[in-house]
Amino acid sequence: MNDKNHDRELGMEREITRRDFLNGISIALGTSLVANSTWVQAFGIPQPALASAFAPEKQPGYYPPFKTGMRGNHDGSWEVAHELRDGNGKNEDWANPINDGESYDLVIVGGGISGLAAAYFYRKFAGQQSKILILDNHDDFGGHAKRNEFQAEKRLLLGYGGTQSIEAPRNYSKVSIGLLKELGIEPRRFFKYYDQKLFDSMHLQEAVFFDKETFGTDRLLRQKSLHYFAVDLRMENVSQMPIAEAARQDLLRLQHASIDYLPELAPDKKQARLIKTSYKDFLLQYAKVHPDVVKVLQASTHDLYCVGIDAVSAHDCAREGFPGFKGMTLPKSHEENPEQDEPYIFHFPDGNASIARLLVRSLVPGALPGHTMEDIVTAPANYARLDDNSSAVRIRLNSTAVRAKHVEDPANAKEVEVTYVRGGQAHRVRGANCILACYNMIVPYLCPEMSDKQKEALAYGVKMPLVYANVQISNWKAFQKLGVSAIYAPGAYFTNVTLDFPVSMGDYHFPSSPEQSCLLHLLRTPCEPGLDCKDQYRAGRFELVSTTFETFERNVRDQLGRMLSAGGFDPASDIQAITVNRWPHGYAYEYNQLFEPLDRPVSERPCVIGRQPFGRIKIANSDTDGHAYTNTAIDQGYRAVQEIVRTTSVRTTS
Ligand SMILES: Cc1cc2nc3c(=O)[nH]c(=O)nc-3n(C[C@H](O)[C@H](O)[C@H](O)COP(=O)(O)OP(=O)(O)OC[C@H]3O[C@@H](n4cnc5c(N)ncnc54)[C@H](O)[C@@H]3O)c2cc1C
């Protein structure tokens, strides 16, 4: 079949919702767009009035969560930052910004959970009247904690565009769990809201999809326990896998036999060896498995590490419960704490976007109605309220900071000047303090006068790229028929495809009948097996920024069709909307013990050197902890505020 016919079969020409446009007008906000006056013409705004008139958030119908198509680091959010990188801050227009005369107690760059939490903590310390400005380059707040909305006839469907769940809240620090509680979040209520029995009661379970390009044939096999694949390999399943017979036997051996593959080494030496051996090499060199085993397990580390088993240490995989270590005694890790194990159920329907929304509710009066963790789920945000003169806290979206500079030398300065670009125009504001809760790697461009040592440390990590696609389908009968709820696809474009989490709370109800429209969640973590992990992340990022929405859409349709057609799924008629949350700058960089030492003192870690206060400028965000979690973003926001408390006398403007 030629490509055109195939595209037609997939439904590439069908009408689906791709709401990239608001009121028929693109809200892509790159400088070029503004420069060529699309926005100006669209609204009839004369050029000189552009700077003050540029306020898309105040337009009726401005509601980013409802946009589909390409989201995440969407077009319009990254262009100015890349210009800063490429021009190294020497853009002439930015050197002469408009001075709007705005002055704040605190200017925060980054409206993710870390920046929002920092604003919350600062107000606790300096008073609710403190004047705070939060700048963010996206059209929506929350950073990675983004909400995706869909409409299924009269029903609202909610998805998470990034940050998925509150993971293991019992392990949260006093500060981070304290914040959740102050916002009204009671984690134990999720035991009621998350229906842990629904899929079991319908006899749905995990499955593996073997694709013909990798395994010679398309085959969907029900296989219990998919997350950290292969924890419950059964003979009856393994025998149907389209892999060599020797590989099937090897998988069973890895799973069930108590074999020590490094018998000559004492436990501590064994551990040292496993730390410096990839899981792939462990399987091939020590467990001596057939190469087909590697093909099956290759992508099983993708969701956690954003790389395959070639770039994750065997030691990490042993700790995570991957097969092959049953007979190997290893020293107990201080991080292992089985008593702290909690089910993975602490999930709002829009993921941790609800935490961001609860923060905004507490910071900006009138932005989000309601009072509880339940009513936040369906509360519509009023974007026109976010940046309002009458509010002590203002959140200014579509605004990229390009400079943060002390007025006078950092040791004696009383203020920091922050320059940001909005609607193609540079503006300047002043703050008595500044917190950069953005990405570590952009900080050296914002503050070129920092020491080389600090800049080098900030530039050390490479954020991990990944894609969360939400696909609205008209019904999920195919899943019911095939008896699956989540699919691991080691060789396919999207390595994981799952039915949305069955969570109902407040006025929001999970579509628990298979006849109803629901959301599928698809994961892709682009990487380049064989390279070291940082180079894999760089290659993945490049792939993401150069992949069109059309390519994502074609892959969504092709893969869902091939996996689910035996259950009656038709990609042409059953897909109603697609949102691709593309995160070239995704998870914070986490040190990888396979490639770098983890035994250096904490004070010598790049994230610790990089986050040192620089005069009145402090640095927050999850990169500064080297861990990609919501609680670390909160803790680091708190730490940055504590640095202000410790090192400066607070100026309040009221
Ligand atoms: C896809 C995905 C899934 C995740 N799932 C989970 C999960 O299930 N559980 C969990 O605990 N953690 C999860 N995480 C990690 C968690 O999301 C993060 O640790 C946390 O939300 C990061 O918050 P942050 O404020 O530090 O950074 P961010 O959320 O990245 O916010 C920083 C903001 O600053 C903006 N910014 C950067 N530079 C500038 C500039 N120059 N000017 C203006 N703005 C700027 C950024 O664009 C961004 O909006 C996930 C992350 C991703 C990407």
Side-chain angles (χ1 to χ4, degrees):
M1 192 186 317
N2 69 30
D3 287 352
K4 267 205 144 151
N5 285 343
H6 186 52
D7 272 3
R8 200 165 304 123
E9 274 209 349
L10 293 177
M12 285 296 288
E13 291 159 10
R14 296 284 178 108
E15 277 290 313
I16 58 164
T17 41
R18 296 183 188 82
R19 289 176 293 260
D20 296 334
F21 292 83
L22 287 184
N23 297 333
I25 300 158
S26 168
I27 68 152
L29 297 168
T31 43
S32 57
L33 183 145
V34 176
N36 74 22
S37 293
T38 306
W39 187 267
V40 181
Q41 286 160 16
F43 285 101
I45 301 168
Q47 188 74 32
L50 178 64
S52 52
F54 182 83
E57 306 86 356
K58 307 271 186 206
Q59 295 296 321
Y62 184 92
Y63 197 70
F66 200 48
K67 294 174 83 187
T68 56
M70 194 77 99
R71 299 294 292 153
N73 294 135
H74 58 79
D75 287 349
S77 68
W78 52 267
E79 293 83 346
V80 171
H82 285 199
E83 210 179 310
L84 175 67
R85 178 199 63 192
D86 299 339
N88 214 8
K90 295 205 173 61
N91 186 313
E92 280 176 24
D93 293 343
W94 303 349
N96 297 302
I98 294 178
N99 184 352
D100 294 316
E102 292 181 24
S103 174
Y104 296 88
D105 300 312
L106 174 63
V107 177
I108 298 174
V109 177
I113 284 183
S114 199
L116 295 170
Y120 182 92
F121 292 128
Y122 186 86
R123 265 155 58 101
K124 269 189 91 171
F125 156 68
Q128 300 295 306
Q129 76 287 359
S130 311
K131 283 184 68 183
I132 302 175
L133 175 69
I134 301 172
L135 299 167
D136 197 278
N137 54 337
H138 288 87
D139 60 12
D140 201 355
F141 58 82
H144 292 142
K146 282 285 185 329
R147 172 178 172 104
N148 289 172
E149 288 190 16
F150 299 84
Q151 194 72 33
E153 290 166 3
K154 289 201 175 126
R155 245 169 359 95
L156 172 71
L157 286 177
L158 289 177
Y160 49 100
T163 315
Q164 192 176 79
S165 298
I166 301 167
E167 190 160 331
R170 252 189 275 163
N171 292 340
Y172 272 40
S173 69
K174 237 172 127 178
V175 164
S176 44
I177 198 68
L179 175 69
L180 297 197
K181 297 226 157 134
E182 284 175 31
L183 294 174
I185 299 174
E186 284 297 342
R188 65 173 185 279
R189 292 196 198 153
F190 286 103
F191 283 93
K192 188 165 121 209
Y193 300 148
Y194 190 117
D195 188 345
Q196 292 187 68
K197 298 203 176 114
L198 179 72
F199 293 151
D200 279 349
S201 71
M202 300 173 76
H203 308 291
L204 309 190
Q205 66 176 58
E206 294 90 352
V208 182
F209 176 68
F210 296 88
D211 63 295
K212 67 171 178 291
E213 293 83 351
T214 314
F215 296 97
T217 183
D218 281 349
R219 187 171 299 167
L220 184 72
L221 268 188
R222 275 164 39 111
Q223 163 63 60
K224 206 154 183 258
S225 281
L226 146 92
H227 199 72
Y228 307 141
F229 175 73
V231 290
D232 189 21
L233 287 165
R234 299 276 168 84
M235 187 56 201
E236 65 268 24
N237 297 332
V238 172
S239 64
Q240 294 173 58
M241 290 184 180
I243 55 176
E245 179 54 30
R248 294 183 187 133
Q249 295 307 323
D250 286 344
L251 274 171
L252 290 170
R253 166 168 59 92
L254 286 176
Q255 178 67 34
H256 299 294
S258 282
I259 300 173
D260 184 348
Y261 294 105
L262 293 167
E264 71 285 8
L265 299 181
D268 56 334
K269 294 262 164 29
K270 236 190 272 283
Q271 172 170 278
R273 179 75 60 86
L274 294 183
I275 284 174
K276 288 297 161 203
T277 305
S278 72
Y279 184 45
K280 176 183 173 185
D281 286 346
F282 167 80
L283 293 172
L284 291 172
Q285 289 169 21
Y286 299 126
K288 301 209 180 302
V289 299
H290 187 282
D292 280 3
V293 169
V294 171
K295 286 205 254 172
V296 176
L297 295 175
Q298 173 62 26
S300 53
T301 47
H302 273 211
D303 62 347
L304 206 51
Y305 297 86
C306 295
V307 281
I309 60 171
D310 58 295
V312 179
S313 78
H315 183 249
D316 277 346
C317 289
R319 279 194 331 198
E320 300 289 352
F322 280 61
F325 305 99
K326 225 177 175 178
M328 301 183 74
T329 312
L330 296 170
K332 253 204 154 350
S333 154
H334 66 278
E335 287 174 30
E336 284 164 25
N337 188 354
E339 279 169 17
Q340 295 290 299
D341 272 358
E342 289 173 282
Y344 194 73
I345 57 162
F346 305 99
H347 178 83
F348 284 95
D350 61 0
N352 289 357
S354 275
I355 299 179
R357 283 158 52 84
L358 283 164
L359 279 163
V360 171
R361 175 188 271 177
S362 87
L363 294 170
V364 183
L368 275 144
H371 306 280
T372 67
M373 71 178 273
E374 288 79 14
D375 65 24
I376 193 71
V377 174
T378 45
N382 182 351
Y383 285 83
R385 298 283 305 163
L386 292 181
D387 187 5
D388 198 297
N389 210 359
S390 64
S391 170
V393 180
R394 302 175 71 164
I395 301 175
R396 192 161 295 163
L397 300 173
N398 303 306
S399 302
T400 307
V402 292
R403 193 78 171 89
K405 185 173 182 298
H406 289 94
V407 182
E408 287 187 41
D409 67 287
N412 300 309
K414 299 271 178 291
E415 282 187 310
V416 177
E417 250 174 22
V418 177
T419 305
Y420 65 94
V421 177
R422 174 170 163 83
Q425 174 64 59
H427 298 257
R428 177 183 292 158
V429 292
R430 285 190 175 198
N433 291 287
C434 173
I435 293 179
L436 301 178
C438 41
Y439 303 155
N440 267 7
M441 75 237 181
I442 201 171
V443 173
Y445 296 99
L446 299 177
C447 306
E449 46 289 285
M450 273 179 177
S451 71
D452 287 346
K453 184 180 174 197
Q454 185 165 10
K455 286 192 282 188
E456 215 172 279
L458 286 161
Y460 178 85
V462 181
K463 278 172 119 43
M464 310 181 199
L466 70 167
V467 174
Y468 275 10
N470 281 317
V471 179
Q472 180 184 342
I473 55 174
S474 55
N475 64 80
W476 47 288
K477 290 185 284 190
F479 284 81
Q480 184 189 34
K481 207 163 166 193
L482 296 167
V484 302
S485 57
I487 303 169
Y488 164 67
Y493 192 78
F494 294 100
T495 48
N496 296 77
V497 174
T498 48
L499 280 170
D500 197 11
F501 294 106
V503 177
S504 302
M505 55 193 292
D507 289 337
Y508 187 77
H509 300 286
F510 177 78
S512 50
S513 158
E515 310 285 332
Q516 292 176 295
S517 287
C518 86
L519 295 183
L520 299 180
H521 185 76
L522 280 62
L523 168 75
R524 173 169 176 75
T525 52
C527 52
E528 197 68 50
L531 303 178
D532 99 2
C533 71
K534 281 191 187 177
D535 284 338
Q536 295 210 35
Y537 298 146
R538 290 188 185 102
R541 180 189 305 167
F542 180 77
E543 185 206 293
L544 285 196
V545 293
S546 49
T547 303
T548 60
F549 177 77
E550 188 190 359
T551 300
F552 282 115
E553 178 177 353
R554 186 173 290 110
N555 279 292
V556 165
R557 291 179 178 280
D558 178 62
Q559 189 171 333
L560 291 182
R562 284 163 59 182
M563 291 194 313
L564 302 169
S565 56
F569 184 84
D570 176 1
S573 59
D574 290 343
I575 292 176
Q576 297 179 317
I578 301 174
T579 300
V580 173
N581 297 281
R582 162 189 77 171
W583 299 110
H585 303 294
Y587 293 159
Y589 182 72
E590 300 197 1
Y591 300 117
N592 184 328
Q593 56 181 347
L594 185 60
F595 300 99
E596 57 205 321
L598 283 196
D599 51 2
R600 54 189 154 194
V602 171
S603 61
E604 286 174 24
R605 291 189 181 161
C607 65
V608 176
I609 297 169
R611 74 185 184 211
Q612 295 310 305
F614 176 57
R616 286 180 172 264
I617 299 173
K618 321 292 182 210
I619 305 170
N621 94 68
S622 58
D623 291 347
T624 62
D625 189 73
H627 287 103
Y629 292 96
T630 297
N631 50 324
T632 56
I634 295 170
D635 289 341
Q636 293 305 319
Y638 181 78
R639 191 251 320 137
V641 169
Q642 288 310 301
E643 287 169 356
I644 297 178
V645 175
R646 275 200 302 272
T647 58
T648 56
S649 61
V650 172
R651 180 197 77 175
T652 45
T653 45
S654 44

